[in-house]
Amino acid sequence: MNCIKTMLTPSSVLHPLNKNMAFVQQKPLLFSLIIFCFIAAASSRGPIYAPPNVPRLTDSFGHVPIDQGYSEFFGHPNIQLTNNGSNANLTLDKVSGSGLASRSKYKYGFFSAAIKLPSGLTSGVVVAFYLSNADVFPHNHDEIDVELLGHEKGRDWVLQTNIYGNGSVHTGREEKLYLWFDPTQQFHLYSILWNNHHIAFFVDNVPVREFIHSNASSSIYPSKPMSAYATIWDASEWATHGGKYPVNYKYAPFVASFGEMEMEGCIWNTTGSASPCSRRSLSSSDPVDGETFAKLSQEQINGLQWSRRKLMFYSYCKDTARYKVIPPECKDSS
Ligand SMILES: *[C@@H]1O[C@H](CO)[C@@H](O)[C@H](O)[C@H]1NC(C)=O
Ligand SMILES: *[C@@H]1O[C@H](CO)[C@@H](O)[C@H](O)[C@H]1NC(C)=O
Ligand SMILES: *[C@@H]1O[C@H](CO)[C@@H](O)[C@H](O)[C@H]1NC(C)=O
Ligand SMILES: *[C@@H]1O[C@H](CO)[C@@H](O)[C@H](O)[C@H]1NC(C)=O
Ligand SMILES: *[C@@H]1O[C@H](CO)[C@@H](O)[C@H](O)[C@H]1NC(C)=O
């Protein structure tokens, strides 16, 4: 399997559905080697797009029961706690979506959720796990988004990430990539690391995006306390192919399952204490703003490069039609 990956040039591999076309573009003299690889891949079990080994960052943190760490945000009848409060099923139906909000606000931290997406035709349905403080700072809010966009029949699943800092909503900083698995079959881990050094997004612990706190990004770097949210909602206007495929409620209800919630770092607490951070009992020795979390490790960088080369198909940094002047922080990432 590895031989296929190494032979394909990055530009010819956009996502799994393109793989047959990609082969056609290869030089003929590689043909027999390709056939060999095909046979090797077909006879092995794993997906062709197996990610490289990365450290299991999510193992560094404990799970927070949803009934302790979160409260209802909206759509009360559509929120169902399961598994003794450690999991939640969030439903979107004709009447409403639903969502959870963390009870605490965080100045920085590690946030993770195991999510299983609704199966079936889910165009227009968005399942989101994100940080925001729009409730407290309506005009200069910060936001760090992981959005799982619904798919159409026969197409792949798309994950979108986005960042707003200090109310910078006029500049979308979206990136999109194809997932390398079917997110409706099992739970997968979607995580956000946010501290004063950088923001990193992970899928099953593989980094898919890093946003560095640099001089170029400092004016729009999220730096005010935020809550964590888990939601499902109708984004018919834009989610799937720019709104071409709205939610089809013939297939409702849409149920997303959440579990293995992790939230660790600086809990914002201004009442009484000298330090604004009151940490919950840390299972890791290093607070999430410390040296261990200041940079990606070399293995994580390899994972980041892998995911971006193979699976990313949109970055605002490359969107010259949208941005005549590419935002300055784009120089930070290669
Ligand atoms: C359910 O959760 C409560 C509180 O979190 C705990 O005390 C109890 O032991 C749990 N029950 C089971 C069966 O796990
Ligand atoms: C960032 O800005 C600070 C202060 O404005 C300056 O001292 C520093 O050299 C800058 N760093 C870079 C990499 O440009
Ligand atoms: C955030 O925006 C406000 C204006 O809305 C500005 O005064 C402030 O300096 C900005 N903060 C940073 C860190 O750039
Ligand atoms: C929660 O959703 C899962 C699908 O992810 C389903 O298998 C399970 O039955 C649901 N549980 C409840 C109590 O609705
Ligand atoms: C906030 O700090 C006060 C005083 O140190 C403490 O009593 C309280 O439990 C803290 N709240 C949280 C949510 O940690």
Side-chain angles (χ1 to χ4, degrees):
M1 271 163 41
N2 269 324
C3 57
I4 291 183
K5 284 188 271 171
T6 43
M7 277 187 333
L8 294 179
T9 60
S11 60
S12 66
V13 185
L14 281 177
H15 73 106
L17 291 185
N18 278 350
K19 65 180 181 289
N20 292 324
M21 278 162 60
F23 283 124
V24 173
Q25 292 160 10
Q26 300 300 308
K27 293 192 181 89
L29 69 129
L30 286 176
F31 189 71
S32 54
L33 193 54
I34 289 164
I35 294 295
F36 169 78
C37 287
F38 244 138
I39 292 164
S43 62
S44 69
R45 289 249 153 169
I48 289 181
Y49 282 74
N53 283 331
V54 289
R56 291 192 50 87
L57 190 55
T58 48
D59 288 352
S60 312
F61 307 98
H63 296 165
V64 182
I66 287 179
D67 58 356
Q68 288 170 29
Y70 284 83
S71 51
E72 292 185 355
F73 176 37
F74 71 98
H76 165 76
N78 284 352
I79 299 173
Q80 236 189 339
L81 294 186
T82 63
N83 201 5
N84 195 27
S86 61
N87 287 52
N89 277 5
L90 302 184
T91 296
L92 166 68
D93 60 21
K94 248 195 189 115
V95 178
S96 175
S98 54
L100 303 164
S102 65
R103 291 176 190 268
S104 301
K105 295 185 189 306
Y106 295 79
K107 189 68 169 51
Y108 54 80
F110 182 78
F111 306 85
S112 188
I115 306 173
K116 189 176 163 194
L117 294 189
S119 55
L121 217 58
T122 58
S123 56
V125 178
V126 168
V127 174
F129 180 61
Y130 64 101
L131 311 177
S132 176
N133 51 28
D135 55 338
V136 185
F137 303 99
H139 303 298
N140 60 338
H141 89 287
D142 305 298
E143 193 176 312
I144 302 175
D145 297 324
V146 170
E147 292 168 318
L148 293 146
L149 308 185
H151 76 115
E152 316 148 37
K153 208 172 180 178
R155 288 202 177 251
D156 283 326
W157 287 271
V158 173
L159 178 126
Q160 171 167 291
T161 59
N162 200 1
I163 292 168
Y164 296 125
N166 204 23
S168 63
V169 290
H170 52 280
T171 305
R173 292 184 159 80
E174 298 90 351
E175 290 193 345
K176 295 188 198 193
L177 61 99
Y178 294 107
L179 296 173
W180 56 94
F181 49 79
D182 176 349
T184 70
Q185 294 303 300
Q186 263 148 4
F187 283 90
H188 290 270
L189 305 173
Y190 304 88
S191 319
I192 298 167
L193 172 66
W194 166 49
N195 59 30
N196 196 37
H197 307 283
H198 61 165
I199 295 163
F201 297 87
F202 303 83
V203 176
D204 287 341
N205 287 302
V206 176
V208 296
R209 179 176 186 179
E210 184 185 27
F211 189 87
I212 293 166
H213 191 182
S214 65
N215 282 2
S217 68
S218 65
S219 67
I220 52 91
Y221 194 82
S223 54
K224 299 187 289 294
M226 292 195 271
S227 308
Y229 296 89
T231 59
I232 185 169
W233 44 287
D234 181 334
S236 288
E237 301 87 58
W238 61 271
T240 312
H241 273 227
K244 197 167 147 203
Y245 302 96
V247 177
N248 186 340
Y249 283 101
K250 204 169 82 187
Y251 302 97
F254 304 101
V255 181
S257 296
F258 286 79
E260 295 180 31
M261 308 305 273
E262 299 182 353
M263 293 190 283
E264 222 159 273
C266 168
I267 295 180
W268 189 249
N269 182 0
T270 46
T271 47
S273 52
S275 153
C277 285
S278 73
R279 261 177 256 129
R280 55 194 317 278
S281 57
L282 279 176
S283 49
S284 61
S285 53
D286 191 345
V288 181
D289 207 31
E291 208 173 302
T292 313
F293 298 98
K295 277 187 185 151
L296 297 179
S297 68
Q298 189 54 52
E299 270 180 310
Q300 288 174 322
I301 290 168
N302 294 346
L304 181 70
Q305 288 170 346
W306 173 84
S307 65
R308 296 176 76 76
R309 208 169 53 228
K310 298 272 197 221
L311 300 160
M312 188 171 83
F313 67 94
Y314 177 83
S315 171
Y316 73 105
C317 282
K318 302 272 159 62
D319 195 342
T320 48
R322 188 175 171 198
Y323 296 120
K324 297 281 175 292
V325 178
I326 292 297
E329 76 278 3
C330 289
K331 291 195 205 78
D332 295 341
S333 59
S334 49

